[in-house]
Amino acid sequence: MAENGEEKLLAVARHIAKTLGHNESMADDILQIFSTFDGRFSREKLSEGQPGEDGSTVSALERALNSLDSQISRFVAADQPIWSDPADSAAFLDAIDELVNITREWSHLANEKPVGACLARADEMLQQAMFRVEEEFRSLMERGAESFAVNNHRLDSDDEEEDVEGDDDYDGDQIPVAKPLTDYDLIIDALPSATINDLHEMAKRMLAAGFGKSCSHVYSTCRREFLEESVSRLGLKKLSIEEVHKMTWQELEDEIERWIKSANVALRILFPSERRLCDRVFFGFSSAADLSFMEVCRGSAVQILNFADAVAIGSRSPERLFKVLDVFETMRDLMGEFESVFSDQFCLVLKNEAVTIWKRLGEAVRGIFMELENLIRRDPAKAAVPGGGLHPITRYVMNYLRAACRSRQTLEQVFEESNGVPSKDSTLLTVQMSWIMELLESNLEVKSKVYKDPALCYLFLMNNGRYIVQKVKDGDLGLLLGEDWIRKHNAKVRQYHSSYQRSAWNKMLGLLKVDNTAAGMNGLGKTMKVKLKQFNVQFDETCKVHSTWVVFDEQLREELRISLARLLLPAYGNFIGRFQNLGDLGKGKNADKYIKYGVEDIEAHINELFKGSTTARK
């Protein structure tokens, strides 16, 4: 053993001389210095092992290889994991390092037959050593991941939040369930630090020996399985685009919720953690680290992107807007993570695909608004809403737009990314919303023509117009459309109010005008009697019909009643007062025959208007 140790010492001295000496003369000078420093470094001994043409030097190479073969073979044939004992792993790596150094030192004489044969043997020994290192590398990664999963973070998705401590049925092999994750701003160590250091030492030898692809393959295979399992535990399923499109809307909504959580955890925790692990294991070998990381994360990243893409190219039904916006916002918020995590040459395609899908989601949102426009245009004008009430399309569109405007900033971004040109005072989203409102109003105008009674036509427009204005005023939609829009549409509602009143009540009001040109008292009395009879009939019929009509807005209903009272009561009071002053004709039983209603009765009937029938109120 002492002799073997001295040989190693002499080999080291020769290696130093060869490395530091820029030419043969300098190397000789360095060897001379060594010989004067220590007797073991005599000039003769140092010269014995120098590569040359005599057989003694080849014998020294063979002896060194024999020694290393003995050591390496013992480790390669070992039944127990080499890395279970730090001393064994260190000795194994030292032997590999020495074998690599000898191969490098003698490589310039490879054309000489004896040396070439020795180097071929050394290469075979190195391959056997690398096969064992690869096996140890895989084993260490698997053992490290298993032990770490049990003792550290678990990023589960589901609702199993009970504390497992104290559970009589607790299985010691079960992975403890972590509390729900709320903070994404963390990076986890995917393997224990000591394991990472060992893996780095192995990777360094495999890469130096030309086994980089094998090392990267083993690494990426193990970590890919771990990562895909982690993503699966978050609840994200592997679905094709066709499978996503076949889902019911409720199923898709649930899947989107799971996708949002999975994408956040993957991009903000899992992928960055894998990036850091790659950089540590392959420290000093950036290309190998980048390639390995891409192989680890590509499958899970593509799974996340494919689902988002399936949503983007799916149905444009208006009810899907809000979930598509959720996916769009998630992709937008994660774009910084895509750019930072997938920044290297191998992952660039993933980053670019993420940007493309994000833009495609924006196109989907704009497409959904186009489909909403089509829905309004196609809504039939066949059946009239009972009592001139609120049309379902009005309620649907206004509530839809109000809900959409809760994501106003996102929608502003979506429409600004289109090719449209905003006006001087309006954003593209404002233009879009104004256009939808215009389509809705035009559609309601057409629907109002279904009513044969002009008064009911105006009441229908007044009801729907008031509802539209109220919905605009109370939210972000009003901020988009502006005060001027609200003022103009309030004026429209007042115009409908006036038109209704004129159409339904002006003729009746005309009956209450006294014709002073009538000849004498008798002529005036006859005329007033006829008018009273006509008024009573018309008032009865109008109240009977209009009491079945509906005004949903309480304030508008009260405004209508007050307006009608101000219109009718003074005129009616004056009329019957004049009638009662016509001598005997307007007094006592004679007057009661013609004056069916007192002023208070007229007011009471007006207050019963617009309550609607049961059907109209629905």
Side-chain angles (χ1 to χ4, degrees):
M1 289 296 289
E3 182 183 345
N4 195 27
E6 186 172 322
E7 283 184 8
K8 286 184 179 181
L9 192 61
L10 291 171
V12 170
R14 293 188 203 102
H15 180 68
I16 293 172
K18 183 177 179 181
T19 303
L20 297 178
H22 296 292
N23 52 52
E24 191 173 335
S25 175
M26 288 181 66
D28 286 340
D29 291 342
I30 293 170
L31 291 174
Q32 181 63 42
I33 293 170
F34 279 146
S35 67
T36 58
F37 174 72
D38 190 315
R40 288 174 296 176
F41 299 135
S42 67
R43 199 68 182 82
E44 293 76 13
K45 287 183 178 179
L46 287 169
S47 299
E48 282 178 7
Q50 289 275 60
E53 296 182 359
D54 63 38
S56 61
T57 55
V58 175
S59 298
L61 174 58
E62 289 176 342
R63 286 197 302 273
L65 289 179
N66 288 337
S67 173
L68 290 172
D69 192 11
S70 174
Q71 297 173 58
I72 290 173
S73 297
R74 177 171 63 86
F75 288 119
V76 168
D79 294 330
Q80 297 298 319
I82 299 172
W83 262 259
S84 60
D85 185 337
D88 284 348
S89 60
F92 186 38
L93 291 179
D94 286 344
I96 291 172
D97 290 343
E98 190 170 346
L99 180 61
V100 170
N101 288 336
I102 287 176
T103 302
R104 188 180 298 120
E105 186 177 337
W106 288 83
S107 60
H108 68 287
L109 297 176
N111 292 331
E112 295 183 12
K113 191 172 181 180
V115 175
C118 288
L119 291 178
R121 178 189 174 195
D123 188 57
E124 186 178 340
M125 290 166 56
L126 188 59
Q127 284 195 43
Q128 294 299 319
M130 288 300 109
F131 290 149
R132 182 56 192 251
V133 171
E134 180 180 322
E135 183 183 323
E136 293 284 329
F137 190 89
R138 180 184 290 106
S139 175
L140 195 57
M141 287 201 68
E142 291 172 352
R143 291 202 317 271
E146 288 169 5
S147 64
F148 205 63
V150 172
N151 294 306
N152 289 275
H153 304 275
R154 181 188 180 201
L155 303 173
D156 266 25
S157 66
D158 297 332
D159 305 323
E160 306 171 7
E161 298 175 16
E162 300 91 4
D163 188 354
V164 298
E165 292 182 11
D167 188 343
D168 293 337
D169 298 326
Y170 173 66
D171 180 356
D173 294 330
Q174 179 180 344
I175 298 174
V177 180
K179 292 182 179 179
L181 183 68
T182 56
D183 180 15
Y184 295 113
D185 188 20
L186 62 95
I187 302 294
I188 59 174
D189 285 318
L191 292 173
S193 185
T195 301
I196 294 172
N197 292 336
D198 287 339
L199 291 170
H200 169 65
E201 293 300 324
M202 294 187 208
K204 187 164 64 173
R205 269 66 176 196
M206 291 183 74
L207 286 158
F211 284 75
K213 285 187 178 180
S214 298
C215 182
S216 180
H217 175 72
V218 172
Y219 176 89
S220 57
T221 300
C222 292
R223 293 311 303 172
R224 182 168 56 245
E225 291 174 1
F226 178 86
L227 181 61
E228 289 177 356
E229 175 65 19
S230 299
V231 172
S232 174
R233 289 190 179 196
L234 290 167
L236 190 63
K237 302 173 185 174
K238 286 188 176 180
L239 299 167
S240 67
I241 289 176
E242 293 74 19
E243 287 172 326
V244 173
H245 290 169
K246 287 178 183 178
M247 285 181 166
T248 66
W249 178 234
Q250 183 59 55
E251 289 172 338
L252 185 56
E253 279 189 313
D254 295 341
E255 196 62 33
I256 286 173
E257 288 298 318
R258 286 190 288 269
W259 177 87
I260 290 171
K261 180 163 57 175
S262 301
N264 273 292
V265 173
L267 266 296
R268 291 177 171 170
I269 298 177
L270 295 178
F271 291 165
S273 297
E274 291 298 332
R275 176 77 257 186
R276 186 167 81 167
L277 180 62
C278 267
D279 290 342
R280 292 180 66 185
V281 171
F282 295 100
F283 179 74
F285 303 94
S286 59
S287 183
D290 293 343
L291 178 62
S292 299
F293 174 72
M294 186 273 289
E295 291 293 344
V296 170
C297 295
R298 179 173 55 186
S300 297
V302 167
Q303 182 183 352
I304 289 168
L305 291 174
N306 278 352
F307 182 84
D309 197 28
V311 172
I313 64 178
S315 169
R316 296 290 195 266
S317 298
E319 68 271 10
R320 296 189 173 221
L321 172 68
F322 306 102
K323 284 300 176 184
V324 174
L325 278 175
D326 287 344
V327 177
F328 175 89
E329 289 172 344
T330 300
M331 287 295 292
R332 176 197 64 196
D333 296 343
L334 291 175
M335 206 48 59
E337 279 71 20
F338 273 107
E339 290 179 357
S340 62
V341 173
F342 299 123
S343 59
D344 63 79
Q345 55 178 330
F346 298 108
C347 293
L348 192 61
V349 64
L350 294 174
K351 183 185 77 172
N352 292 340
E353 183 67 8
V355 173
T356 299
I357 291 171
W358 176 44
K359 290 181 178 179
R360 200 172 289 151
L361 285 162
E363 293 170 7
V365 171
R366 293 190 291 273
I368 288 172
F369 273 92
M370 291 179 64
E371 189 57 36
L372 178 64
E373 295 171 17
N374 293 332
L375 183 148
I376 295 170
R377 288 192 190 96
R378 292 193 299 260
D379 194 62
K382 295 179 181 177
V385 175
L390 193 61
H391 198 281
I393 191 69
T394 307
R395 193 191 304 273
Y396 174 80
V397 171
M398 294 313 300
N399 286 325
Y400 186 92
L401 294 182
R402 273 171 59 89
C405 282
R406 294 190 193 114
S407 302
R408 179 185 166 191
Q409 289 184 334
T410 299
L411 288 173
E412 292 274 15
Q413 182 180 9
V414 166
F415 282 95
E416 291 305 319
E417 288 174 356
S418 69
N419 295 322
V421 180
S423 64
K424 182 179 179 182
D425 301 319
S426 302
T427 66
L428 286 171
L429 179 60
T430 300
V431 172
Q432 176 68 52
M433 292 297 182
S434 299
W435 173 238
I436 291 175
M437 300 301 294
E438 190 174 325
L439 283 175
L440 176 60
E441 290 169 44
S442 299
N443 183 274
L444 292 171
E445 289 277 357
V446 173
K447 286 178 167 57
S448 70
K449 301 297 189 290
V450 175
Y451 297 102
K452 295 180 180 179
D453 188 332
L456 187 53
C457 167
Y458 291 124
L459 190 76
F460 170 79
L461 290 172
M462 182 170 34
N463 262 320
N464 286 270
R466 180 60 168 252
Y467 185 83
I468 289 170
V469 171
Q470 291 298 337
K471 287 293 182 181
V472 169
K473 279 171 62 177
D474 294 342
D476 285 337
L477 194 52
L479 298 175
L480 275 173
L481 297 175
E483 289 296 327
D484 189 50
W485 189 97
I486 294 171
R487 276 195 300 272
K488 286 179 180 177
H489 284 74
N490 269 327
K492 266 190 176 182
V493 173
R494 288 194 296 271
Q495 185 182 341
Y496 294 141
H497 180 168
S498 300
S499 298
Y500 158 79
Q501 195 166 283
R502 185 171 58 251
S503 175
W505 300 93
N506 271 16
K507 185 178 179 181
M508 201 182 307
L509 190 65
L511 294 173
L512 298 176
K513 291 180 179 178
V514 178
D515 185 4
N516 291 321
T517 62
M521 287 289 237
N522 286 335
L524 181 60
K526 285 182 180 179
T527 301
M528 293 185 76
K529 282 193 294 182
V530 171
K531 286 188 173 185
L532 265 176
K533 283 182 179 179
Q534 290 176 343
F535 176 86
N536 291 337
V537 171
Q538 286 190 26
F539 186 75
D540 283 347
E541 288 178 353
T542 300
C543 286
K544 181 180 179 182
V545 172
H546 289 216
S547 64
T548 65
W549 294 358
V550 63
V551 176
F552 279 99
D553 185 79
E554 251 183 75
Q555 185 181 346
L556 179 61
R557 186 165 62 240
E558 194 59 31
E559 287 172 2
L560 273 170
R561 288 170 178 170
I562 291 171
S563 175
L564 289 175
R566 286 174 178 169
L567 181 73
L568 286 177
L569 296 184
Y572 184 76
N574 288 336
F575 188 88
I576 63 174
R578 182 79 178 271
F579 183 70
Q580 288 170 337
N581 289 331
L582 291 175
D584 293 339
L585 189 65
K587 295 180 180 177
K589 291 182 179 179
N590 286 330
D592 292 341
K593 285 169 59 179
Y594 303 105
I595 302 174
K596 184 175 181 180
Y597 299 110
V599 173
E600 295 81 4
D601 298 327
I602 297 292
E603 185 175 16
H605 276 72
I606 288 173
N607 287 333
E608 292 300 312
L609 299 177
F610 315 122
K611 288 187 174 180
S613 65
T614 304
T615 304
R617 286 196 298 268
K618 286 182 179 176

